[in-house]
Amino acid sequence: MGHDEIREVTARLAEAGIPSPEHDAVALLAHAWGRSVAEVRHAQVMGRTPPADVRDRLTSLVDARATRVPLQHLTGVTGFRGIELAVGPGVFIPRPETEMLVDLALADVAHGGLVIDLCTGSGAIPLAIKQERPDLTVLAVELDPMAHAWAERNRDQLGLEVEIRCGAAQSAFPDLVGLVDVVVSNPPYIPVGMVPIDPEVRDHDPEVALFGGSDDGLRIPVEVAARAAELLRPEGRLVMEHADVQGDSLPRALTRQGHWADIQDHCDLTERPRALTAVRAP
Ligand SMILES: C[S@@+](CC[C@H](N)C(=O)[O-])C[C@H]1O[C@@H](n2cnc3c(N)ncnc32)[C@H](O)[C@@H]1O
């Protein structure tokens, strides 16, 4: 496929309001052609044209993307740190900013430690943790049966030993109360009533993955933190993602819980406050 055709697809996606049209054009062509993005770039430079059936497949993929179906639903996969996860309807697509939670969770975990992810979605966080630190015991919980099935599928495809339970984070792991070294969580935190701007999020991420259950979006995160306080051993650590507008309100809410010491907030690479860490007070 030559430069002109890629340019044509890019223009079509740009017209539909896709934020990174050239990236998506190449990713969709790679998917339609069964090749890597690097191979497509090479073919593009060489002016090599894909077979007609690939061009037909690309046309239907571009039609769907132009209606704002998420790129990851069309390719069926997304990358998260060092792993590739299957995603699609019924599960939240992991975001790049969440990768930071893995670094925060892995800081200072002793060899053989116990780590739990509450609200696991596709399983992105616990599977990345287990892949990077096979010595750790890693467990996770997810409320939504559809998302839970995606997480189990990802776990099985990656061949990682992570127990993934289906249930509410607020009452999860009664067998592990007081024993956990690190609890990590990216819970739903969007204020109820707020409408996400991007159609990919508004129309395709499950509602249960987005909304935090109150006007400020913090009801579920605060409940999850309360459960984390029960699960953690003294001096165990909580790592939790939040919205950029919750960099003061979530730390304040955790201070009110009275279980936490050393509450710190952390910025992402764009300097927006996006994650909290706290230590379980003895
Ligand atoms: C923002 S998504 C994050 C998913 C995943 N941790 C990630 O970072 O990609 C929140 C997830 O929490 C799940 N969830 C919502 N309420 C829950 C609850 N009370 N207990 C457990 N999981 C819950 C949703 O179904 C969704 O999969």
Side-chain angles (χ1 to χ4, degrees):
M1 174 156 283
H3 288 286
D4 288 350
E5 287 142 309
I6 291 273
R7 216 175 285 142
E8 209 173 282
V9 171
T10 301
R12 167 113 200 272
L13 294 177
E15 210 173 286
I18 305 298
S20 46
E22 210 263 347
H23 166 270
D24 286 20
V26 174
L28 289 174
L29 176 56
H31 181 62
W33 207 350
R35 302 200 171 188
S36 69
V37 165
E39 286 169 331
V40 166
R41 291 277 184 211
H42 184 67
Q44 186 187 1
V45 170
M46 305 302 284
R48 213 171 285 144
T49 310
D53 61 321
V54 170
R55 298 164 70 97
D56 291 346
R57 275 203 296 280
L58 178 63
T59 302
S60 21
L61 289 166
V62 172
D63 287 347
R65 186 70 186 106
T67 68
R68 307 298 298 259
V69 175
L71 175 68
Q72 299 88 340
H73 283 197
L74 296 170
T75 60
V77 290
T78 194
F80 186 82
R81 291 183 70 103
I83 56 178
E84 187 171 86
L85 298 155
V87 290
V91 72
F92 181 86
I93 300 168
R95 310 291 204 260
E97 57 267 29
T98 303
E99 294 185 333
M100 173 174 79
L101 263 65
V102 175
D103 287 320
L104 292 170
L106 290 181
D108 301 329
V109 194
H111 186 88
L114 175 57
V115 179
I116 284 186
D117 177 38
L118 302 175
C119 305
T120 202
S122 63
I125 296 170
L127 295 172
I129 287 176
K130 186 68 184 177
Q131 195 243 356
E132 293 177 35
R133 284 286 303 275
D135 60 291
L136 301 176
T137 299
V138 185
L139 299 92
V141 70
E142 165 59 43
L143 179 67
D144 180 3
M146 287 250 281
H148 178 256
W150 281 102
E152 287 203 316
R153 172 176 165 187
N154 281 317
R155 187 256 330 264
D156 295 347
Q157 271 177 3
L158 290 162
L160 292 166
E161 201 182 309
V162 173
E163 183 183 332
I164 305 173
R165 300 186 190 176
C166 192
Q170 291 90 332
S171 54
F173 301 106
D175 46 326
L176 296 175
V177 165
L179 298 177
V180 181
D181 295 298
V182 178
V183 171
V184 59
S185 183
N186 176 19
Y189 50 63
I190 296 179
V192 169
M194 185 183 266
V195 181
I197 295 166
D198 294 334
E200 289 86 348
V201 179
R202 188 185 62 223
D203 303 334
H204 297 278
D205 276 325
E207 279 192 15
V208 64
L210 299 178
F211 298 103
S214 56
D215 289 348
D216 62 0
L218 288 178
R219 181 177 68 77
I220 295 174
V222 166
E223 288 173 3
V224 170
R227 185 56 175 168
E230 291 165 350
L231 292 170
L232 288 167
R233 62 165 172 78
E235 308 285 338
R237 288 185 307 114
L238 168 67
V239 178
M240 181 175 277
E241 184 171 316
H242 58 70
D244 53 4
V245 295
Q246 295 163 343
D248 292 323
S249 51
L250 184 63
R252 266 202 312 273
L254 261 66
T255 303
R256 282 196 297 274
Q257 284 186 335
H259 306 307
W260 304 104
D262 196 16
I263 299 174
Q264 290 185 34
D265 210 68
H266 304 263
C267 289
D268 66 10
L269 292 173
T270 64
E271 293 303 316
R272 293 176 308 155
R274 293 309 307 271
L276 165 153
T277 54
V279 175
R280 178 70 169 99

